[in-house]
Amino acid sequence: MSMKPIEFDRRYGELDQVMSAYLGQPAHEDEEAGPSEALLAYLRHTWHTRPWAIAVAEQQVREYARNPPGRLRLRLGEFYPVPDVGLPESEIQDWLHRIADHLRRSVEEGRVPPPSVPATHWEWRARFPELAQLLGGWFSQDMPDEFADHDAALRDYREGTDPVVVARLVGELHELLALDMEETTYALALAVLGMEVDPPAPYTPGAWLALVADLLTQSRADYGPQGTDN
């Protein structure tokens, strides 16, 4: 039988976070001289949110590389299945050791990637989880069938979401806007974070995000049920 969640987290929780950062990204770019874009994205986000977790990741990755699951653990399902990262199975162990080495050097030598625009799909969603929840849940391709307009969808989110979560989302919106990106990059961000409809006319992606932040900052009474989409 598979492990209980608490045992899984103890053995593989942070290893899983590192592996998730590689989804859709090439693993062969990790070299002795430097980490890949995927690992840099993990380090950049984790250093600025959970810096203590990098040492945990190094330990879990190295332990897994030293003691890959044997036949018994494979049969019982008590192991972490490393996802397909595009490497031959014979190279996985060495690759994991390289990752562990990069993680250790990052901690021991203080190699902290500076804040920047997210570089991978994983980093976008790890950095802006509440915005991804809003866009993917309320602005999917089904939005026109469920709501009269963008404002109605946003009002539905506002009315059904805890104010603390709404405040967290507003913080993410301000952080995203502070990146001061080109409109094409804001459009990319909306798509990666789950939005499947265009912003309402005449707003550009960046302008609409600023409008959403303003509307969600208003009190419920000021925003009310009669918001406009203009």
Side-chain angles (χ1 to χ4, degrees):
M1 61 180 178
S2 59
M3 286 182 292
K4 294 180 180 180
I6 191 169
E7 184 63 23
F8 180 90
D9 286 345
R10 284 172 177 166
R11 293 188 187 181
Y12 310 123
E14 203 57 33
L15 165 64
D16 184 53
Q17 289 295 309
V18 175
M19 293 298 102
S20 295
Y22 281 87
L23 294 178
Q25 298 295 316
H28 67 268
E29 292 182 357
D30 283 297
E31 303 291 346
E32 294 296 337
S36 64
E37 191 65 66
L39 190 56
L40 280 174
Y42 168 83
L43 286 168
R44 181 163 48 240
H45 177 68
T46 309
W47 261 116
H48 294 281
T49 55
R50 303 177 303 123
W52 53 267
I54 298 173
V56 177
E58 187 273 337
Q59 181 183 40
Q60 291 185 355
V61 172
R62 194 176 301 281
E63 181 62 25
Y64 191 96
R66 287 172 175 167
N67 299 289
R71 293 180 180 179
L72 177 59
R73 287 165 65 196
L74 289 172
R75 187 168 70 250
L76 294 176
E78 295 184 352
F79 73 103
Y80 177 80
V82 174
D84 185 0
V85 292
L87 293 176
E89 186 174 349
S90 60
E91 297 180 14
I92 293 294
Q93 193 170 20
D94 288 341
W95 171 65
L96 291 173
H97 278 296
R98 283 198 301 276
I99 289 178
D101 289 343
H102 287 311
L103 293 170
R104 170 165 287 186
R105 281 196 293 269
S106 181
V107 174
E108 292 182 341
E109 300 174 16
R111 299 185 182 184
V112 184
S116 69
V117 175
T120 68
H121 184 278
W122 175 88
E123 189 178 7
W124 277 110
R125 288 181 167 262
R127 188 167 173 181
F128 302 106
E130 295 302 335
L131 182 55
Q133 180 69 20
L134 169 66
L135 297 178
W138 278 263
F139 294 95
S140 70
Q141 61 184 354
D142 297 326
M143 190 213 80
D145 298 326
E146 298 177 357
F147 303 104
D149 51 29
H150 292 67
D151 190 69
L154 187 62
R155 189 163 56 249
D156 183 77
Y157 167 84
R158 174 73 176 270
E159 294 173 352
T161 305
D162 188 283
V164 173
V165 177
V166 174
R168 189 176 300 131
L169 169 60
V170 171
E172 290 184 9
L173 286 165
H174 285 301
E175 181 180 345
L176 180 58
L177 292 167
L179 294 174
D180 195 23
M181 303 181 297
E182 299 289 338
E183 284 297 335
T184 53
T185 308
Y186 279 117
L188 171 65
L190 290 176
V192 171
L193 292 171
M195 189 169 181
E196 296 177 334
V197 294
D198 291 330
Y203 294 101
T204 62
W208 182 69
L209 287 168
L211 174 67
V212 170
D214 288 343
L215 291 174
L216 292 177
T217 302
Q218 297 174 15
S219 70
R220 294 193 185 208
D222 290 340
Y223 187 42
Q226 302 298 324
T228 65
D229 208 26
N230 299 316

